[in-house]
């Protein structure tokens, strides 16, 4: 017979189900996720996620007994984790961020703006700023002789009244009147002429304190540069047009005959100044006595009366003296001929090189080159 009663000494402890992990006070409840590990920044600082050390100081492990000690490990708050993450990211990218900020600052500081010479207001820019700055230095010239009347333009180059213009504007004139941008008028006399360069220097009588233009450097002019033209086309004093430099070193041939100089503007015959360019003749016959110079070509609108006026860069500097305009063949016999976007200017470097000669009376002996 089988006995189910255990013998003395063979007692077995009753079997009970194993309680779940953490049900007894001796075992901590497992964390909901793996604890955060400390992070060491590139500068050598160790950042602990809990934000509080074991000794109560910042940066150590979380306070309280470790796992198995009967106390639950405190989970770091979201704000503490965020602070730690920001600290790490800042340490890692701080140098790069600083470099980016520095670079952006340097780029901002290094950006340049073009200063318009003699500009009086910072509220205007571009063509408007150039016109405001330079217009007081541009005049209208009316030259009268027995042959008729010529209307052109000129550029004041000294406060004492020296004015540069084209020779063909004042050639053969008995009297010369200058109209300033404010509407006032004064008489002027010829100081010197140079037919070979189609340049002339006149001087206003009794002038002082005039606003002189700034002569620039035409050697630095490039095709595509924006330019402004100011003059008195058809007697409209102070007219401003703009465009670009469309070509350089164009061979332009003009007359050196005094009789060809009359006829620009109201009351002056055809209103055109004849010249030759690219093998063709424009605005009439230049005659047998001519001269050729290298010109700046522009698409800024030039019309009869612009001759002797200024071609200006966007810094407000004179880069050329406007001297000729191109009209299409269909317009040659029409009194309504006007600019179609091809005008020519004498480079200002040519003007500057000729100033001493003009101040000494000019060099018209010989009268230029002869064309048959």
């Amino acid at each position: 017979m089988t006995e189910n009663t255990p013998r003395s000494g063979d007692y077995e402890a009753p079997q009970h189900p194993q309680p779940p992990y953490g049900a007894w006070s001796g075992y901590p409840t497992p964390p909901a996720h793996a604890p955060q590990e400390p992070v060491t920044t590139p500068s050598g600082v160790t950042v602990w996620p809990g934000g509080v050390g074991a000794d109560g100081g910042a940066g150590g492990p979380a306070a309280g007994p470790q796992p198995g000690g009967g106390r639950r490990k405190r989970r770091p708050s979201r704000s503490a984790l965020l602070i730690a993450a920001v600290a790490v990211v800042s340490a890692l990218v701080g140098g790069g961020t600083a470099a980016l900020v520095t670079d952006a600052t340097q780029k901002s500081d290094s950006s340049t703006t073009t200063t318009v010479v003699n500009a009086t207001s910072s509220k205007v820019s571009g063509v408007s700023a150039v016109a405001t700055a330079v217009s007081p230095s541009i005049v209208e010239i009316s030259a009268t002789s027995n042959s008729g009347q010529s209307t052109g333009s000129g550029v004041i180059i000294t406060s004492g009244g020296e004015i540069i213009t084209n020779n063909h504007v004042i050639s053969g004139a008995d009297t010369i009147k200058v109209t300033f941008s404010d509407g006032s008028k004064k008489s002027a006399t010829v100081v010197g002429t140079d037919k070979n360069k189609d340049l002339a220097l006149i001087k206003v009588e009794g002038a002082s304190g005039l606003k002189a233009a700034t002569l620039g450097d035409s050697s630095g002019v490039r095709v595509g540069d924006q330019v402004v033209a100011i003059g008195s086309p058809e007697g409209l004093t102070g007219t401003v047009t703009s465009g670009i430099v469309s070509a350089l070193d164009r061979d332009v041939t003009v007359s050196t005959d005094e009789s060809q100089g009359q006829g620009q503007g109201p009351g002056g015959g055809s209103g055109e100044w004849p010249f030759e360019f690219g093998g063709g003749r424009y605005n009439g016959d230049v005659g047998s006595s001519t001269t050729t110079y290298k010109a700046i070509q522009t698409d800024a609108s030039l019309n009869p009366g612009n001759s002797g006026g200024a071609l200006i860069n966007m810094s407000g500097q004179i880069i050329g003296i406007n001297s000729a305009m191109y009209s299409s063949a269909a317009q040659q016999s029409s009194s309504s001929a006007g600019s179609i976007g091809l005008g020519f200017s004498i480079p200002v470097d040519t003007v500057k090189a000729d100033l001493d000669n003009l101040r000494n009376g000019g060099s018209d002996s010989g009268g230029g080159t002869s064309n048959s």
Side-chain angles (χ1 to χ4, degrees):
M1 179 169 118
T2 304
E3 242 176 80
N4 293 327
T5 302
R7 291 177 297 177
S8 176
D10 293 332
Y11 176 78
E12 286 188 31
Q15 300 296 316
H16 299 286
Q18 180 68 28
Y21 181 81
W24 294 348
S25 61
Y27 296 92
T29 303
H33 54 79
Q36 297 289 327
E37 293 296 327
V39 178
T40 301
T41 68
S43 61
V45 178
T46 300
V47 179
W48 291 82
V52 184
D55 58 353
Q66 300 305 308
R71 294 183 60 185
R72 302 172 69 180
K73 183 176 179 179
R74 186 171 62 183
R75 292 174 57 189
S77 66
R78 292 192 178 191
S79 60
L81 288 174
L82 179 59
I83 292 172
V86 170
V88 173
V89 173
S90 298
L92 291 174
V93 304
T97 303
L100 288 173
V101 172
T102 301
D103 184 59
T105 304
Q106 290 175 343
K107 285 183 179 179
S108 176
D109 291 341
S110 63
S111 61
T112 59
T113 56
T114 301
T115 301
V116 177
V117 177
N118 294 329
T120 57
S121 173
S122 60
K123 295 182 180 179
V124 294
S125 60
V127 173
S128 179
V130 171
T132 300
V134 185
S135 287
S137 301
I138 311 302
V139 300
E140 178 184 306
I141 297 174
S142 296
T144 305
S145 71
N146 293 332
S147 302
Q149 179 177 320
S150 173
T151 300
S153 305
V155 180
I156 300 172
I157 61 171
T158 64
S159 61
E162 285 186 333
I163 296 172
I164 280 288
T165 186
N166 288 138
N167 176 67
H168 73 258
V169 171
I170 54 88
S171 61
D174 297 320
T175 60
I176 299 173
K177 294 289 185 182
V178 173
T179 302
F180 297 92
S181 61
D182 62 1
S184 61
K185 298 177 184 289
K186 284 187 178 294
S187 296
T189 56
V190 176
V191 176
T193 60
D194 189 339
K195 294 178 181 178
N196 293 326
K197 295 182 175 65
D198 194 20
L199 290 173
L201 181 68
I202 64 175
K203 193 173 189 302
V204 176
E205 298 173 359
S208 63
L210 299 180
K211 187 172 184 179
T214 300
L215 303 184
D217 178 7
S218 53
S219 68
V221 175
R222 298 290 180 266
V223 173
D225 286 353
Q226 188 175 4
V227 290
V228 175
I230 304 179
S232 299
E234 306 294 350
L236 301 175
T237 306
T239 296
V240 177
T241 58
S242 66
I244 63 167
V245 172
S246 53
L248 297 171
D249 299 324
R250 294 298 201 198
D251 288 331
V252 175
T253 300
V254 296
S255 175
T256 59
D257 187 351
E258 286 185 359
S259 64
Q260 297 287 346
Q262 304 301 321
Q264 286 204 36
S270 67
E272 300 294 335
W273 170 240
F275 69 98
E276 295 179 357
F277 164 69
R281 290 185 175 184
Y282 306 95
N283 307 335
D285 187 358
V286 297
S288 60
S289 181
T290 63
T291 187
T292 300
Y293 56 83
K294 298 287 186 181
I296 298 171
Q297 179 181 308
T298 178
D299 69 352
S301 179
L302 301 180
N303 291 284
N306 271 116
S307 288
L311 188 68
I312 312 157
N313 64 20
M314 299 311 290
S315 294
Q317 300 168 331
I318 310 300
I319 59 169
I321 299 299
N322 298 323
S323 59
M325 54 153 281
Y326 174 90
S327 296
S328 66
Q331 293 177 322
Q332 297 305 304
S333 60
S334 172
S335 61
S336 63
S339 173
I340 62 168
L342 286 175
F344 303 95
S345 300
I346 301 170
V348 75
D349 286 357
T350 300
V351 177
K352 291 190 293 185
D354 204 33
L355 272 179
D356 286 343
N357 170 54
L358 293 172
R359 284 170 174 148
N360 291 323
S363 56
D364 286 338
S365 58
T369 59
S370 178
N371 251 8
S372 57

